[in-house]
Amino acid sequence: MDISRTGDVWWKNAVFYCLDVETFQDSNGDGIGDFAGLTRRIDHLARLGVTCIWLMPFYPTANQDDGYDITDYYGVDPRLGTLGDLAVFLRTAKDRGIRVIADLVVNHTSDQHPWFRSAASDRGSPYRDWYVWRDEIPPGGPKDLVFPDQEDSNWEWHEQSGQYYLHRFYRHQPDLNISNPLVREEIHKIVGFWLQLGLSGFRVDAVPFLLETQGLDTPPELDLHDWLRDLRSFVQRRCGDAVLLGEVNLPYQEVRRFYGDEGGGELNMCLDFNMNQALALALVREDAGPLVHSLRAMPELHPDDGWAHFARNHDEWSLDKLTEAERQQVFRAFGPDEEMQLYGRGLRRRIPTMLKGNADRIRLVYSIVFALPGAPVLFYGEEIGMAENLDIPGRQSVRSPMQWADRPNGGFSTAPEDRLSRPLVSGNRWGPKGVNVEAQEHDPQSLLNWLERLVRRRREMPEVAFGQWSFIPFPDAEIFALRYDWGDRTVLLLHNLGKKACASQSRLDDAQSLGELATIQGQGRLDLAGDGTVTVELPAYGALWLRAHRA
């Protein structure tokens, strides 16, 4: 056990908080969130215990895909403020002990980016080879559609150029040509620029698509995983403790390659989509089995690398790793109406509405996420139990404005309601009248205050990030029980996914050496007998976290 490592590789024991500047806080009454507003709200995040803010894209954009269609990688969208406003925010966050990372979206640009406009206007443009062009759609090229409701091909005809260009996302987002060394060099410049201004790393968007070579005319002269390893080396030369958190929604063994296999050296972290989908199935069945199976399948990582676990992310709640029967089971329970589903593979709802507002079950979800081997990630509004707004199209239904108070526009903006960049959740139950930060701050039993305690307890448990996990094998399917050992430190984290209180027994061979067990968080009871028998009692949807105090 080396407690100093908890600072050297901070991302393994971090609490991440993902937010969209545009929907967090408006400071000037124009209906759009901005960096000045975010800075004013930094103490909310500091009090919550967040250690790293993950910013969704804030760069200049054509704004056809909520900022993911970037027109300039070296600036701030004027609607959100200036580089000066960003600098003030970064300085204020640092003062509160909070690091900041940002989305790195370099798989594609907007078709309004100057690079693409130059490339499309003249085949002799120096930027022509920064994109992928074809006279005809090639056979054997990529066929998977990220947005099958909007696109029917990965190739788009460009009339002025007289050629097709490759796009794996929307047609207005042409793919960059990663085989071009000038493109790879430019990505280094982009990364170096933002590290110089004070970012602590990046959440790398769509990493498998970034490294995909299908459809490229000329394969890159190097293995792109070697390039990703070089990118990490570059990042850590510029900022020794910077992190690369990857979006890699693939089966576990394929995800492992993006860490650099057993030797590490590529991404520091990956968002764990496999575990997230296992969680969805476990919640529906009230059975820990899917979580157990997923943990057993989870590959070992280099000691400096880690997983990032989440209950709800900023996109659709993807269920693509489940079988069709499993997916339909989750749909029936959490999103039975077609308008709640997306692309036939996911849901566009938030956790509280999927769980019908059941407070115990909602808290169980976050207790499980924070108990998994890795770092937890929160999406803005989860701390107060915000709902989605299905009136907002597509994936953006979960990106409605933050609800700060029972005041006009939920305290998000002083602009007229019809000028808001996105409509708020409506209704007394889920809108700002029923769900807001201000009311929950003054309620000791609120989700906000409970989650604040959960964050604090988790931060005090480096065993979960750095220790060796193992199951406590209770026979009851609804019990999910993990043990973490790190040097002479041991914690036991137990959860009941069932709707009824339960009592069960297991056995620990070293039970006597654990000494006294002290409750860290939750309710219930656990007794250790002299023969190693462990007896646990948990309430319905209950959790119990314990620490061993050895003699």
Side-chain angles (χ1 to χ4, degrees):
M1 182 182 74
D2 183 359
I3 199 70
S4 68
R5 293 187 66 244
T6 63
D8 294 341
V9 281
W10 59 268
W11 51 84
K12 287 175 66 73
N13 200 44
V15 176
F16 292 89
Y17 186 97
C18 174
L19 64 85
D20 187 351
V21 177
E22 181 179 348
T23 56
F24 204 65
Q25 180 67 66
D26 171 19
S27 71
N28 59 8
D30 66 356
I32 302 169
D34 45 48
F35 276 107
L38 173 56
T39 303
R40 292 181 189 178
R41 293 295 188 180
I42 197 71
D43 286 321
H44 166 72
L45 302 178
R47 191 194 67 174
L48 183 59
V50 169
T51 62
C52 184
I53 295 171
W54 155 15
L55 297 175
M56 293 169 64
F58 56 80
Y59 317 100
T61 173
N63 208 27
Q64 292 180 276
D65 185 24
D66 200 23
Y68 285 88
D69 50 330
I70 295 169
T71 59
D72 178 6
Y73 287 102
Y74 298 99
V76 172
D77 191 291
R79 300 174 309 132
L80 310 182
T82 65
L83 272 175
D85 294 327
L86 172 61
V88 171
F89 160 68
L90 292 173
R91 178 65 185 86
T92 307
K94 181 179 180 181
D95 177 69
R96 304 306 196 271
I98 301 175
R99 291 177 168 89
V100 180
I101 66 173
D103 267 331
L104 180 67
V105 187
V106 288
N107 160 256
H108 56 253
T109 69
S110 166
D111 61 3
Q112 300 304 305
H113 195 292
W115 301 340
F116 185 78
R117 296 178 73 174
S118 173
S121 65
D122 181 1
R123 290 198 184 193
S125 165
Y127 293 105
R128 184 69 178 183
D129 290 338
W130 286 44
Y131 298 89
V132 181
W133 301 91
R134 288 289 182 279
D135 291 326
E136 297 180 354
I137 297 176
K143 297 182 176 64
D144 52 320
L145 298 173
V146 177
F147 303 119
D149 65 329
Q150 299 289 324
E151 304 293 343
D152 54 17
S153 173
N154 289 122
W155 297 91
E156 180 70 9
W157 177 255
H158 193 272
E159 189 66 37
Q160 183 179 353
S161 293
Q163 285 185 310
Y164 293 91
Y165 63 83
L166 177 66
H167 66 92
R168 292 184 177 89
F169 289 76
Y170 293 112
R171 67 190 66 188
H172 57 77
Q173 293 170 328
D175 276 19
L176 285 165
N177 181 9
I178 195 67
S179 71
N180 186 335
L182 294 178
V183 171
R184 299 196 298 270
E185 181 182 346
E186 189 70 24
I187 293 172
H188 280 70
K189 291 179 182 177
I190 293 165
V191 165
F193 176 82
W194 291 109
L195 290 176
Q196 193 69 33
L197 289 188
L199 290 186
S200 293
F202 303 89
R203 176 265 191 184
V204 189
D205 186 61
V207 186
F209 291 104
L210 175 62
L211 303 192
E212 177 61 69
T213 58
Q214 277 193 327
L216 301 185
D217 184 25
T218 305
E221 74 280 4
L222 78 167
D223 186 311
L224 288 177
H225 282 278
D226 289 338
W227 173 75
L228 186 58
R229 185 175 286 107
D230 181 61
L231 180 64
R232 174 166 165 178
S233 296
F234 172 82
V235 166
Q236 296 190 320
R237 287 197 306 273
R238 291 295 180 92
C239 181
D241 65 349
V243 66
L244 292 177
L245 166 61
E247 180 193 27
V248 185
N249 185 9
L250 294 171
Y252 269 134
Q253 291 308 315
E254 295 180 48
V255 175
R256 187 68 188 81
R257 294 184 58 224
F258 291 84
Y259 283 101
D261 295 322
E262 287 71 17
E266 295 185 35
L267 297 172
N268 303 94
M269 305 186 78
C270 286
L271 292 158
D272 195 343
F273 289 90
N274 292 276
M275 188 66 70
N276 180 253
Q277 297 182 43
L279 174 62
L281 192 60
L283 291 171
V284 169
R285 293 179 174 177
E286 300 190 356
D287 183 338
L291 292 168
V292 171
H293 294 316
S294 191
L295 274 167
R296 285 177 172 158
M298 178 188 286
E300 291 289 327
L301 302 178
H302 184 277
D304 288 347
D305 297 338
W307 296 100
H309 297 292
F310 57 96
R312 189 64 177 88
N313 63 343
H314 64 288
D315 277 325
E316 84 266 17
W317 204 29
S318 180
L319 304 170
D320 64 317
K321 300 292 179 293
L322 302 182
T323 67
E324 184 60 29
E326 291 169 340
R327 186 161 45 249
Q328 291 304 322
Q329 188 176 6
V330 177
F331 280 169
R332 286 192 297 271
F334 292 160
D337 298 339
E338 189 173 339
E339 68 163 355
M340 300 172 178
Q341 303 167 14
L342 204 58
Y343 313 134
R345 68 183 183 224
L347 292 165
R348 58 192 205 100
R349 308 187 75 196
R350 281 184 178 248
I351 297 294
T353 48
M354 288 192 288
L355 298 181
K356 299 179 173 61
N358 186 312
D360 292 335
R361 211 173 178 199
I362 293 168
R363 296 180 188 203
L364 171 70
V365 168
Y366 293 102
S367 184
I368 291 174
V369 169
F370 275 62
L372 292 169
V377 181
L378 293 169
F379 183 47
Y380 79 93
E382 284 192 290
E383 70 270 31
I384 57 173
M386 269 179 58
E388 72 284 349
N389 185 348
L390 294 177
D391 291 335
I392 303 174
R395 300 171 297 152
Q396 296 181 28
S397 61
V398 297
R399 305 179 196 172
S400 57
M402 183 67 176
Q403 296 170 192
W404 295 104
D406 180 15
R407 293 198 292 274
N409 298 329
F412 162 71
S413 173
T414 58
E417 185 177 351
D418 61 359
R419 289 185 56 198
L420 298 184
S421 61
R422 206 162 294 155
L424 275 91
V425 176
S426 61
N428 292 336
R429 173 64 182 90
W430 297 110
K433 183 176 182 62
V435 177
N436 68 75
V437 171
E438 189 175 275
Q440 292 196 25
E441 283 178 336
H442 301 292
D443 178 4
Q445 304 306 314
S446 69
L447 178 62
L448 174 60
N449 280 303
W450 177 86
L451 195 58
E452 181 185 333
R453 292 191 295 273
L454 181 71
V455 169
R456 185 167 61 248
R457 297 297 183 236
R458 174 60 186 77
R459 287 282 296 158
E460 294 167 353
M461 295 171 60
E463 297 93 337
V464 177
F466 297 94
Q468 180 64 45
W469 66 267
S470 59
F471 294 114
I472 307 174
F474 288 97
D476 299 82
E478 65 269 26
I479 296 181
F480 180 55
L482 290 175
R483 169 178 174 166
Y484 291 90
D485 293 284
W486 189 42
D488 61 352
R489 300 167 65 138
T490 298
V491 293
L492 311 177
L493 311 179
L494 301 97
H495 300 86
N496 174 19
L497 280 79
K499 62 174 62 71
K500 296 180 181 178
C502 71
S504 188
Q505 287 189 334
S506 184
R507 186 175 181 83
L508 292 178
D509 293 336
D510 65 341
Q512 287 304 301
S513 69
L514 295 179
E516 180 184 351
L517 295 176
T519 299
I520 301 171
Q521 177 97 359
Q523 295 180 323
R525 178 175 177 175
L526 187 143
D527 295 317
L528 298 176
D531 63 355
T533 300
V534 181
T535 302
V536 66
E537 297 177 3
L538 293 171
Y541 302 132
L544 181 62
W545 291 12
L546 302 161
R547 171 169 279 118
H549 290 279
R550 301 176 187 273

